[in-house]
Amino acid sequence: MVLQAQEGRLTTSAARILVATAVPAERDAVARTFTRPEEVRLPAATLLRTAGGYDLLAAGVGPALAAAGTATALTAAALDGRPYALVVSAGIAGGFQPEAPVGSLVVADEITAADLGAETADGFLPVTELGFGTVSHRPPNSLVRVTAQVTGARPGAVLTVSTVTGTAARAAALRTRHPGALAEAMEGFGVAEAAAAHGVPVLELRAVSNPVGPRDRAAWRIGDALAALTEAFGKLVPALESWNPHDHR
């Protein structure tokens, strides 16, 4: 099946959407939205494929595995003549307090690699200031708006980090460099890089499981966050049927 836009609608019977999570628990939380998804094996990856055109992938933890797994799925789909219309990075995340409390949802209006660069005597320099690459991707505004409206997710920057924040000092430093940040996770930028290489729009949706800052496992609410993720996709999937995939505003 190939992408078809009918009267401005993205029909799930025609369009295919890839949802990339870090771990199987997150993938399975999304899968609960669907009826009996089937396993499909790819080189170095296994997808859960749904009748509605969604493929669910647990790509691995961290930006490198996320990029590699997402790129594998995107390439396989393109070679099969059935490319994806959208890639969604989904899962749980740490939330910056008080803007993103535990149990809330965040949709990225900016996906930024927060620790890709160099430490200098004058502070951190992003890789772009060193003359290389990119550190940020922006999902389509129209898609961010739709997601926020139907799920109640708050729009804001979601930071991708290779090292999870564990101190108040680092949390404060990240907020200083990224005042619009609402959450941090470990995969969004990798997923976005792979999607950009294939010319496919990207979305990142996160459920907050813990505050960003000092590590306090007793304060984590992973089960609640996974339940919120399931509920969010239950609302998001019908809404995506009316999103125009050619509207990248």
Side-chain angles (χ1 to χ4, degrees):
M1 289 179 283
V2 297
L3 176 63
Q4 297 176 352
Q6 299 177 352
E7 298 181 355
R9 294 171 63 84
L10 184 153
T11 58
T12 54
S13 62
R16 300 177 67 215
I17 295 175
L18 176 66
V19 180
T21 69
V23 297
E26 294 167 318
R27 179 203 61 199
D28 294 346
V30 176
R32 283 191 281 274
T33 304
F34 304 95
T35 302
R36 293 189 297 277
E38 298 181 354
E39 284 194 359
V40 176
R41 295 192 178 276
L42 301 177
T46 299
L47 298 171
L48 293 182
R49 177 159 293 167
T50 76
Y54 285 76
D55 285 354
L56 315 178
L57 171 68
V61 174
L65 276 176
T70 302
T72 295
L74 285 163
T75 300
L79 291 175
D80 193 37
R82 303 169 63 208
Y84 294 107
L86 174 68
V87 179
V88 183
S89 176
I92 63 176
F96 287 98
Q97 305 301 300
E99 294 87 353
V102 172
S104 67
L105 296 167
V106 173
V107 57
D109 60 13
E110 175 185 314
I111 301 169
T112 294
D115 53 10
L116 180 60
E119 291 288 352
T120 74
D122 296 321
F124 178 81
L125 289 179
V127 71
T128 48
E129 294 190 25
L130 302 176
F132 304 102
T134 184
V135 293
S136 188
H137 293 277
R138 289 188 175 274
N141 289 336
S142 61
L143 186 53
V144 173
R145 288 195 300 270
V146 166
T147 303
Q149 288 168 1
V150 301
T151 68
R154 181 170 181 175
V158 176
L159 306 182
T160 299
V161 295
S162 295
T163 301
V164 173
T165 298
T167 66
R170 186 170 189 250
L174 287 174
R175 288 303 298 270
T176 297
R177 292 205 304 266
H178 306 280
L182 292 181
E184 72 164 24
M186 300 182 74
E187 294 78 33
F189 184 76
V191 173
E193 285 277 86
H198 282 260
V200 179
V202 67
L203 176 72
E204 183 169 12
L205 179 64
R206 295 282 174 177
V208 177
S209 60
N210 58 277
V212 175
R215 288 175 65 82
D216 178 9
R217 297 289 300 261
W220 293 4
R221 297 292 181 266
I222 293 176
D224 292 344
L226 292 173
L229 192 64
T230 300
E231 183 179 357
F233 267 85
K235 298 173 180 176
L236 180 60
V237 168
L240 286 179
E241 295 182 6
S242 61
W243 177 68
N244 184 347
H246 302 295
D247 185 358
H248 289 191
R249 293 174 298 170

